[in-house]
Amino acid sequence: MIVPGGKAVRLAESLGAMLGESNVINSRDALEPYGKDEGSCPLHLPHLVVKPASLEQVQSVLKEAASAGVPVTPRGRGTGLAGGAVPVRGGMVLSLERMDRIVEVDEANLSVVVEPGVIVQDLHRAVESRGLFYPPDPASLDSCSIGGNIAVNAGGPRAAKYGITRHYVLGVEAVLAGGQAIRHGRKTIKNTTGYSLTHHLIGSEGTLGVITRATLRLVPLPPVRVDLLAPFPEVAAAARAVGRIVRGERVVPAALEFMDQASIRAAATFLEREVPFLDAAAHLLIQLDGKDGDAVLAQSEQVGEICLEEGASDVLVATGSHAQERMWAARRAILEAVKRLSHHSDFLDVAVPLGRIPEFLDRADRAASGAGLSLANWGHAADGNIHVAIHRREQCPGWLEAAGQLTDRIYAAARDLGGVIASEHGIGWLKRKALAASLDPEALALMRRVKQAFDPGGLLNPDKVLP
Ligand SMILES: Cc1cc2nc3c(=O)[nH]c(=O)nc-3n(C[C@H](O)[C@H](O)[C@H](O)COP(=O)(O)OP(=O)(O)OC[C@H]3O[C@@H](n4cnc5c(N)ncnc54)[C@H](O)[C@@H]3O)c2cc1C
């Protein structure tokens, strides 16, 4: 599918008249920021960017695009890591950035209604000021949108206790490729009224419909929070501590994050500030929360003891918000930091069953050494979700090919150990080939039929997710 320039120019003119000229972009310089995301997908310029401000405008835009045969790539804030918001076939980028209202916080029914362009941190602040809590907390929360979170089913550190985006979406309003609006779900936690279209749209990465509104579930804000940082001399010791905390003692931490030495050092360099225990082979960053201060403190002592028994050289405890933010700064900076380790970085987002984490890390490291490449590993240990960054300092011939082969070996290791190749960043464009090797052919064929049912013309985010 190649979009003839003339079609896009005519579409830009008609949409400019409808939305106002400042909300339709087609000059090269202004298009550029919409041709990439935060991952390693190469730049692909769209022919035009359109910024609707209402459901009705999204409907009209999609109707016009369908009759002109122009492909449409929905976009939240472009922080994705899999190329999902990159317009790989050109055409139109449909940016939801102007639809950024928190429509209603319903305290009585523990829910909030939002437009898709709301920044996740703004949503957190709005509900927390009323003693309510929206737990999903991707590390990009100060810049990503709730629409993008729903579209990729984003996770975050607090998934350890509270789950992922999917667990908080009660209902959505979305527009299909031809412009028809569908609504599914209400302010109820339970809903078995037909197939769950809400859950089809969650994680569909803009390939089935454009999310224009969502009703989200809230929970009471836990008033007490304690954070612990434990440095370990060996990765295996940190992994043993994770196993004992989660499986052995059955403590449910709000977050249980793992960082290896390469990622901690990268973060320290990036932040240009002192980060403790830089010589440790691995850090665990553990958060405990709850209603009862004594109970949370008792649990944090129990977790600290486990870490020390498994070989941690120390355990730092933070109870005030300033100290807690400092403790989390390195963790939150890792992704930006490891990007700077190399001319090109690939971020993998695998998950393995909890007990297989040490084996996975060992296999990934051995594969990297064999390929002459380096890894930085970090992630959400309680979910078995490990991010792997493959990097090399110097640009050298054949490096990208070697990194591609190493990626295949790491994916194979995750699959062999009973895991998955994509946990929270989606498939997008970068991982679509790996998807075929990760699913039964029957499951893949059914996914194609689902896509066909939602978007028979194949105009919505083409070339994404399905290989
Ligand atoms: C520093 C950093 C840290 C990160 N940490 C995490 C993390 O901890 N956990 C995590 O899960 N992710 C993380 N991410 C990845 C990224 O922030 C998430 O994938 C996020 O959900 C993307 O939101 P966005 O608004 O930027 O979406 P975009 O990148 O704009 O789009 C992502 C996908 O969603 C689709 N889409 C966007 N909006 C809509 C809509 N309204 N309707 C339909 N489809 C839509 C797009 O077509 C695309 O396929 C991180 C990224 C960075 C850069």
Side-chain angles (χ1 to χ4, degrees):
M1 184 195 302
I2 294 168
V3 188
K7 266 189 191 180
V9 171
R10 283 194 296 280
L11 192 57
E13 281 167 5
S14 70
L15 293 178
M18 188 194 298
L19 305 184
E21 278 177 15
S22 60
N23 297 314
V24 179
I25 297 172
N26 62 354
S27 71
R28 197 193 184 283
D29 285 356
L31 290 175
E32 200 159 315
Y34 294 90
K36 55 189 184 215
D37 66 3
E38 291 293 328
S40 58
C41 183
L43 176 76
H44 288 85
L45 282 186
H47 288 84
L48 73 163
V49 176
V50 177
K51 302 181 190 180
S54 66
L55 165 69
E56 294 71 24
Q57 288 190 352
V58 174
Q59 288 186 276
S60 305
V61 168
L62 285 177
K63 205 167 164 189
E64 294 266 327
S67 46
V70 169
V72 176
T73 303
R75 184 178 180 95
R77 300 285 174 162
T79 69
L81 296 167
V86 178
V88 293
R89 298 252 193 116
M92 178 197 296
V93 163
L94 179 63
S95 169
L96 282 310
E97 67 200 270
R98 289 174 69 220
M99 295 181 67
D100 63 352
R101 283 183 315 134
I102 296 176
V103 180
E104 180 199 13
V105 182
D106 183 344
E107 294 185 44
N109 292 303
L110 292 175
S111 60
V112 57
V113 178
V114 289
E115 290 186 334
V118 171
I119 300 280
V120 174
Q121 191 169 58
D122 294 341
L123 169 62
H124 282 180
R125 287 184 177 144
V127 300
E128 285 173 23
S129 66
R130 299 177 191 219
L132 295 169
F133 192 38
Y134 176 72
D137 61 338
S140 52
L141 58 88
D142 59 350
S143 50
C144 65
S145 74
I146 188 67
N149 278 198
I150 296 171
V152 303
N153 190 19
R158 291 196 293 241
K161 176 172 179 179
Y162 292 100
I164 51 181
T165 302
R166 183 181 294 284
H167 301 127
Y168 293 87
V169 184
L170 300 174
V172 292
E173 171 190 86
V175 182
L176 304 184
Q180 314 91 303
I182 55 163
R183 289 174 194 83
H184 183 269
R186 298 275 170 108
K187 289 180 184 173
T188 60
I189 292 174
K190 292 181 173 174
N191 182 356
T192 55
T193 321
Y195 295 144
S196 178
L197 296 180
T198 301
H199 286 271
H200 273 76
L201 286 157
I202 299 167
S204 66
E205 301 189 49
T207 62
L208 301 184
V210 177
I211 296 156
T212 48
R213 193 171 272 221
T215 303
L216 307 172
R217 177 184 169 207
L218 303 173
V219 294
L221 180 68
V224 186
R225 172 182 150 187
V226 175
D227 293 283
L228 309 176
L229 180 70
F232 288 83
E234 292 163 15
V235 170
R240 276 199 310 275
V242 170
R244 267 191 66 194
I245 294 166
V246 179
R247 295 192 307 270
E249 309 297 326
R250 313 230 165 133
V251 177
V252 186
L256 205 178
E257 298 287 294
F258 162 83
M259 299 162 266
D260 75 0
Q261 190 179 68
S263 46
I264 304 159
R265 289 191 170 181
T269 309
F270 174 72
L271 291 172
E272 293 179 351
R273 76 150 78 139
E274 211 177 300
V275 169
F277 314 121
L278 277 185
D279 289 334
H283 286 185
L284 290 183
L285 179 55
I286 306 154
Q287 186 172 101
L288 297 145
D289 70 358
K291 216 170 164 183
D292 175 346
D294 290 342
V296 175
L297 273 177
Q299 266 196 354
S300 67
E301 276 167 24
Q302 184 189 356
V303 167
E305 278 302 315
I306 294 172
C307 291
L308 292 170
E309 282 165 20
E310 293 302 339
S313 58
D314 205 341
V315 176
L316 297 187
V317 181
T319 49
S321 59
H322 179 68
Q324 287 169 334
E325 284 320 306
R326 274 190 78 81
M327 210 177 247
W328 276 84
R331 166 63 190 93
R332 292 211 185 275
I334 289 176
L335 200 134
E336 286 304 320
V338 296
K339 269 189 190 175
R340 284 158 176 77
L341 288 178
S342 181
H343 295 285
H344 173 99
S345 291
D346 272 332
F347 305 110
L348 315 188
D349 170 39
V350 305
V352 292
L354 261 186
R356 313 301 294 269
I357 295 177
E359 225 172 321
F360 169 75
L361 290 173
D362 187 49
R363 277 183 65 167
D365 268 338
R366 277 191 284 123
S369 311
L373 297 169
S374 306
L375 301 181
N377 300 301
W378 74 101
H380 315 298
D383 312 327
N385 180 188
I386 305 293
H387 299 310
V388 180
I390 300 174
H391 58 90
R392 182 173 188 112
R393 279 177 197 282
E394 303 302 327
Q395 189 66 282
C396 72
W399 126 253
L400 280 181
E401 207 187 5
Q405 288 163 0
L406 176 57
T407 298
D408 290 343
R409 282 201 286 279
I410 293 176
Y411 283 160
R415 283 192 293 260
D416 290 351
L417 295 170
V420 295
I421 60 152
S423 314
E424 57 175 16
H425 298 163
I427 295 291
W429 187 74
L430 289 175
K431 299 179 199 162
R432 69 201 192 291
K433 289 189 182 130
L435 185 80
S438 305
L439 292 172
D440 297 338
E442 292 76 18
L444 195 58
L446 183 57
M447 287 186 194
R448 287 190 196 285
R449 295 205 292 277
V450 172
K451 166 73 176 170
Q452 173 75 17
F454 274 81
D455 176 22
L459 287 176
L460 209 47
N461 218 355
D463 275 348
K464 304 295 170 57
V465 184
L466 296 171

